[in-house]
Amino acid sequence: MSGDHPSSLVSARVRHVEALLEARGLLDDGEIDRRIDEFLAGGTPANGARIAARAWVDPGFADRLLADANSAIRELGLSMAGGLQEQRLKVVANTDEEHNVVVCTLCSCYPIALLGPSPGWYKSEPYRSRVVRDPRGVLCEFGLELPERTRISVWDASAESRYMVLPRRPAGTEQLPEERLAALVTRKGLIGTALV
């Protein structure tokens, strides 16, 4: 592998800047790696599933989640703080009339703290470019065929804002406890490429 690959050059520059910051006392030795490890350690789709299940059983929580997701998720001990600044989280709810799907058209911005590392297809150029132009077609490729009357809204994440879909509660689950409901929720459902 050649050492002059563009990503190798960027990596070398990042390491150089990190070393300068450490030498000047602005960062502790290895601080960036520790923060990244801490952030990734807590990130799992189970967090998003817990949020969805709580919203399904607690209408007040659902209202707070849709109004101010960052504050609401703190009630479950979760946070979007992944470094020096908390990222803005917007939760969008699927309804009978509207289905939501999330993308980052520029790169792969994604709520890692709530959904774990992003799936490969989420970062792929075909998904990122096509889901905004033909969301119904892309969702069909995931096996999700929605009625023609259902409006599809595409939410474009950014460095400052992340999105998560609140799937509709599956029919026939009224008697299930919150923990069992959470087990029904998938990462694809929280991105919007599946119903749940």
Side-chain angles (χ1 to χ4, degrees):
M1 179 158 67
S2 171
D4 61 354
H5 187 274
S7 65
S8 298
L9 295 173
V10 170
S11 295
R13 287 180 184 158
V14 169
R15 285 192 298 277
H16 179 72
V17 170
E18 185 177 359
L20 288 173
L21 292 170
E22 289 171 356
R24 293 183 180 160
L26 299 172
L27 282 178
D28 293 334
D29 188 35
E31 182 176 350
I32 291 176
D33 288 337
R34 280 194 307 279
R35 286 186 182 232
I36 290 171
D37 290 345
E38 289 169 8
F39 182 65
L40 292 175
T44 169
N47 291 335
R50 283 180 49 217
I51 294 167
R54 175 64 56 88
W56 290 342
V57 300
D58 182 345
F61 177 78
D63 290 342
R64 293 188 299 277
L65 181 67
L66 297 174
D68 182 356
N70 289 75
S71 294
I73 66 173
R74 286 188 204 106
E75 296 175 30
L76 300 178
L78 299 170
S79 166
M80 288 296 293
L84 303 178
Q85 183 176 349
E86 184 174 52
Q87 298 162 339
R88 179 180 172 270
L89 176 66
K90 170 92 172 135
V91 174
V92 291
N94 287 345
T95 66
D96 287 334
E97 298 81 29
E98 181 179 29
H99 182 87
N100 298 282
V101 63
V102 179
V103 66
C104 177
T105 56
L106 294 177
C107 54
S108 59
C109 295
Y110 177 85
I112 293 171
L114 305 181
L115 303 183
S118 59
W121 55 262
Y122 184 85
K123 298 178 267 191
S124 74
E125 178 64 28
Y127 175 78
R128 292 180 9 234
S129 62
R130 289 186 52 236
V131 76
V132 294
R133 290 190 328 261
D134 180 22
R136 194 171 298 277
V138 171
L139 293 178
C140 281
E141 291 172 15
F142 277 93
L144 178 55
E145 295 190 35
L146 298 168
E148 283 300 319
R149 71 180 190 288
T150 303
R151 181 177 71 253
I152 300 174
S153 296
V154 179
W155 299 88
D156 193 359
S158 69
E160 296 81 28
S161 296
R162 303 291 196 263
Y163 293 91
M164 187 182 92
V165 174
L166 175 58
R168 291 176 54 209
R169 184 175 180 164
T173 63
E174 294 74 25
Q175 302 306 314
L176 291 182
E178 191 171 328
E179 298 77 29
R180 295 263 316 272
L181 288 170
L184 301 175
V185 181
T186 67
R187 179 169 53 181
K188 286 182 179 178
L190 298 166
I191 296 171
T193 56
L195 289 180
V196 181

